[in-house]
Amino acid sequence: MPERSGKQSEKQSGKQSEKQSEQRRLAVLKTYKLYVGGAFPRSESGRVYEVTDASGRWLANAPLASRKDARNAVVAARKAFPRWSGATAYNRGQVLYRVAEMLEGRREQFRAEVADAEGLSAPKARAAVDAAIDRWVWYAGWTDKVAQVAGAANPVAGPYFNLSTPEPTGVVVVFAPQESSLLGLVSVLAPVLATGCTAVVVAAERAPLPALSLAEVLATSDVPGGVVNVLSGRVAELGPPLAAHGDVDALDLTGAGPEATALEAEAAGTLKRVRRPRPDEDWTADPGTGRLLWPLETKTVWHPMGV
Amino acid sequence: MLSRPPSPSPAAAPGLADVTASDAALRRFLHGLPGVDAVGLDARAATLRTRSIKTTSKAFAIDLAIRMIDLTTLEGADTPGKVRSLCAKGAAPDPTDRDTPAVAAICVYPDLVTTAVQALRGTGIKVASVATAFPAGRAARDVKLADTRQAVADGADEIDMVIDRGAFLSGRYLAVFEEIAAVREACGGAHLKVILENGELATYDAIRRASWLAMLAGADFIKTSTGKVGVNATPPNTLLMLEAVRDFRAATGRQVGVKAAGGIRTTKDALAYLVLVNETAGPDWLSPDWFRLGASSLLNDLLMQRQKLRTGSYSGPDYVTVD
């Protein structure tokens, strides 16, 4: 008995000193920032907004991006486009696979962030993160296969080879799904990158933290700066200038919610390619090729056969 | 923070006539100019750069900046076709909005002056030609003068000459002075812009001296740089030249223009230069007759900003010409 109590007191004192050292240390809070042109700036406006978990507990402050941040993001995306679209499909696949590798190493962080953001239990959050990484790998494999699927050698009535190849459309603005903060985001972003487009992502308004952390992954995995730009803020504020922007080529309105119709009307002024939101999209289902093919332009070449 | 004008009294004008009498007198005068407070100059330029210009003021400033542009193409690969398309662009910069003002001048190499003159007939846009063995200026004086005369004979309204930086930096000020004066004479009725090439003058003091030297020799404009070296127009060195023309007018009564050239690519930059002009030399210089921006890609950015103000949505490079 005395032995046992001695052990117990030892254990207790150990716990106490652990507690003390924990009390002495000030936790380092993370300042979430935007991701624009390969850098992590605060919002040009200096504003932030409070992000809470599903039960209303404060998690962090996220930058509240402004119209000017959106403009800067488009400039960065445009600047990055020639290099990204000009890279070989094989190289793009390697870079995207590298992103999945980096995500794998930060699974725990994303699991915690997704659980907080969506109010999921630990196993469900883990499943969502794993599915997101798998989806990223799946799209990484598509980079050098899109042309075979979407391209064609067309039969024509003349002595010509007639070949159609898909080409990336340019700068794509993506409104990330509101309800699925990581899996949904990856499902809309990865296919855009796989085809060679560059992206401006407007993160889920109430759950932007996984998207802002994904930016850190992208910054450390060979994706050239500007290829992905992540903004957090209000769809109602960022939507109209991005939808009407003359240098944006396509608009994915998946997460635009009630603003979607108005934004589609804004986009008509510059004849953008628009992807409308589909009701109740199931992010865990097989995504198919739809999201790969929508931001593509088809180029057809007539080449004389020389007969 | 700003230096005082050396001697604004009316007696100064005849006094300045003596300073070019000999190399020694000229050196004494130029080295007697007040030294430049480099830290103060940089700080002043940086402060003025932060000024915010919005809405109607911005619209006015953008149009003024377009009217001040010397639209420039100075490449070895220039062709008559490229010059003609540049002239067409200068005359009607934005085909979607005919209210857009025309640029001040088209700036080309001397052998393309004829092409530019033909293309610009009836538009009121001036033809500017670089001359005197631009951009290095390393040629015999006869060659430089012949270069100038040919450009003027072909119809150039404005001549952009380069100074002999080698002579200036080795202290042979009178040689530089005489060369500028000789080119001035060769220009006849054409306006003379003297390029100081600030990037090669090394110090702010040297830029101030070169500005005064060029103005004493009869320059109509002093110009920051050729655009062919690493450091071109910067806000501080342009501010310094604006002080020089202000002080020169106070001393002699003659107004000289300033042209900032090279590295000015965005509307934000251009508006910052207009603020410098207004705050340093004053509103008298705020016109295409007295201040110019030498640029090529700047025009597209100004047009995109102009479209943004007109339509309310951001424009893109697809809506302006590819040069």
Side-chain angles (χ1 to χ4, degrees):
Chain A
M1 277 308 186
E3 211 183 297
R4 201 172 167 189
S5 71
K7 227 180 193 176
Q8 214 165 21
S9 72
E10 204 176 63
K11 212 175 176 185
Q12 262 178 354
S13 75
K15 247 187 191 169
Q16 250 175 8
S17 70
E18 207 172 77
K19 212 175 184 185
Q20 269 176 355
S21 74
E22 215 168 80
Q23 277 172 341
R24 255 185 271 120
R25 187 170 179 280
L26 265 176
V28 179
L29 289 178
K30 179 165 159 186
T31 307
Y32 286 88
K33 295 192 187 175
L34 306 175
Y35 182 51
V36 175
F40 290 92
R42 292 163 203 270
S43 167
E44 159 279 333
S45 62
R47 301 173 305 173
V48 293
Y49 68 109
E50 293 191 349
V51 178
T52 59
D53 67 6
S55 62
R57 185 173 58 92
W58 178 84
L59 290 172
N61 284 351
L64 184 56
S66 70
R67 202 163 48 90
K68 285 192 179 174
D69 293 313
R71 177 197 61 187
N72 294 346
V74 173
V75 170
R78 173 57 64 192
K79 203 172 161 202
F81 180 69
R83 182 172 160 203
W84 184 243
S85 60
T88 60
Y90 175 68
N91 179 235
R92 271 205 302 277
Q94 283 183 312
V95 170
L96 293 182
Y97 190 80
R98 178 86 180 147
V99 175
E101 288 174 11
M102 295 287 120
L103 275 169
E104 186 80 17
R106 293 170 75 154
R107 273 168 81 203
E108 276 314 300
Q109 180 198 347
F110 279 103
R111 189 199 54 70
E113 280 184 347
V114 169
D116 282 341
E118 301 173 28
L120 297 179
S121 65
K124 279 188 174 167
R126 186 168 295 127
V129 172
D130 291 352
I133 299 173
D134 293 349
R135 176 117 340 140
W136 198 285
V137 172
W138 191 73
Y139 278 118
W142 264 105
T143 54
D144 55 0
K145 300 168 188 72
V146 173
Q148 290 92 310
V149 172
N154 312 308
V156 289
Y160 299 98
F161 293 116
N162 187 277
L163 304 170
S164 294
T165 55
E167 301 208 326
T169 187
V171 175
V172 180
V173 170
V174 176
F175 292 90
Q178 301 293 331
E179 71 287 357
S180 179
S181 58
L182 185 67
L183 178 57
L185 170 71
V186 166
S187 303
V188 295
L189 174 62
V192 165
L193 300 182
T195 56
C197 295
T198 55
V200 175
V201 178
V202 179
E205 198 168 307
R206 288 172 59 193
L209 303 187
L212 296 174
S213 292
L214 179 67
E216 293 161 17
V217 171
L218 296 166
T220 50
S221 48
D222 304 338
V223 180
V227 169
V228 184
N229 304 277
V230 182
L231 304 174
S232 59
R234 312 275 179 235
V235 172
E237 184 185 2
L238 298 173
L242 284 170
H245 200 304
D247 208 18
V248 170
D249 298 297
L251 211 55
D252 181 351
L253 294 172
T254 302
E259 314 282 335
T261 315
L263 293 181
E264 189 176 344
E266 289 263 19
T270 43
L271 297 178
K272 283 181 184 56
R273 211 167 258 288
V274 172
R275 188 179 167 94
R276 289 187 182 140
R278 315 273 157 93
D280 303 323
E281 218 161 334
D282 178 9
W283 300 111
T284 54
D286 178 352
T289 54
R291 288 195 169 271
L292 277 167
L293 303 183
W294 80 274
L296 295 175
E297 308 293 339
T298 300
K299 180 172 82 178
T300 297
V301 181
W302 295 66
H303 192 285
M305 276 175 175
V307 286
Chain B
M1 200 178 285
L2 297 177
S3 62
R4 303 294 311 151
S7 43
S9 64
L16 283 182
D18 295 341
V19 303
T20 55
S22 72
D23 210 356
L26 187 54
R27 177 173 301 110
R28 215 163 28 245
F29 173 75
L30 292 178
H31 284 260
L33 288 170
V36 180
D37 167 8
V39 175
L41 182 70
D42 289 341
R44 174 91 176 134
T47 311
L48 288 175
R49 196 180 162 75
T50 61
R51 191 160 304 174
S52 173
I53 295 176
K54 300 289 178 208
T55 62
T56 49
S57 313
K58 186 173 182 183
F60 172 80
I62 287 174
D63 279 6
L64 181 60
I66 293 174
R67 291 199 291 126
M68 284 177 168
I69 286 183
D70 278 6
L71 196 57
T72 304
T73 182
L74 294 171
E75 303 293 333
D78 284 346
T79 59
K82 191 179 170 197
V83 169
R84 273 193 291 271
S85 73
L86 199 72
C87 291
K89 182 174 184 184
D94 189 351
T96 64
D97 181 9
R98 289 288 175 179
D99 291 337
T100 314
V103 301
I106 303 289
C107 184
V108 293
Y109 270 119
D111 60 326
L112 290 162
V113 166
T114 321
T115 312
V117 167
Q118 280 167 1
L120 291 172
R121 191 157 289 148
T123 60
I125 298 173
K126 302 267 194 289
V127 176
S129 168
V130 296
T132 69
F134 179 92
R138 300 251 67 89
R141 186 172 297 174
D142 291 345
V143 177
K144 293 183 181 179
L145 294 178
D147 198 13
T148 308
R149 288 198 191 96
Q150 184 62 49
V152 174
D154 285 348
D157 305 294
E158 302 172 355
I159 296 294
D160 290 27
M161 73 167 287
V162 288
I163 63 167
D164 183 346
R165 279 90 73 192
F168 181 86
L169 291 171
S170 55
R172 288 178 284 126
Y173 296 132
L174 198 62
V176 180
F177 175 86
E178 283 168 352
E179 186 169 287
I180 298 171
V183 174
R184 164 73 277 179
E185 208 184 319
C187 282
H191 264 236
L192 177 65
K193 303 193 200 116
V194 179
I195 303 172
L196 309 182
E197 194 64 303
N198 290 345
E200 292 183 351
L201 296 187
T203 67
Y204 286 141
D205 286 329
I207 295 172
R208 174 169 282 172
R209 287 176 199 139
S211 302
W212 277 84
L213 180 61
M215 290 186 290
L216 288 169
D220 295 308
F221 262 76
I222 51 176
K223 176 173 165 183
T224 57
S225 44
T226 58
K228 301 287 185 194
V229 295
V231 177
N232 293 297
T234 64
N237 68 35
T238 308
L239 173 57
L240 181 56
M241 288 166 67
L242 287 162
E243 285 177 18
V245 296
R246 177 199 63 194
D247 296 348
F248 187 78
R249 188 176 75 168
T252 67
R254 190 166 81 84
Q255 186 166 342
V256 176
V258 174
K259 175 171 170 183
I264 307 169
R265 294 201 179 82
T266 65
T267 301
K268 205 172 179 180
D269 290 342
L271 300 196
Y273 279 96
L274 295 187
V275 170
L276 287 184
V277 174
N278 193 53
E279 297 301 314
T280 310
D284 287 355
W285 269 267
L286 216 50
S287 110
D289 295 332
W290 300 110
F291 189 75
R292 294 280 179 84
L293 295 160
S296 39
S297 59
L298 169 65
L299 181 55
N300 276 349
D301 198 63
L302 285 166
L303 293 178
M304 286 192 275
Q305 287 289 325
R306 206 172 178 279
Q307 289 168 357
K308 159 77 173 66
L309 288 180
R310 187 159 51 96
T311 62
S313 56
Y314 291 115
S315 183
D318 288 350
Y319 299 86
V320 290
T321 57
V322 178
D323 298 324

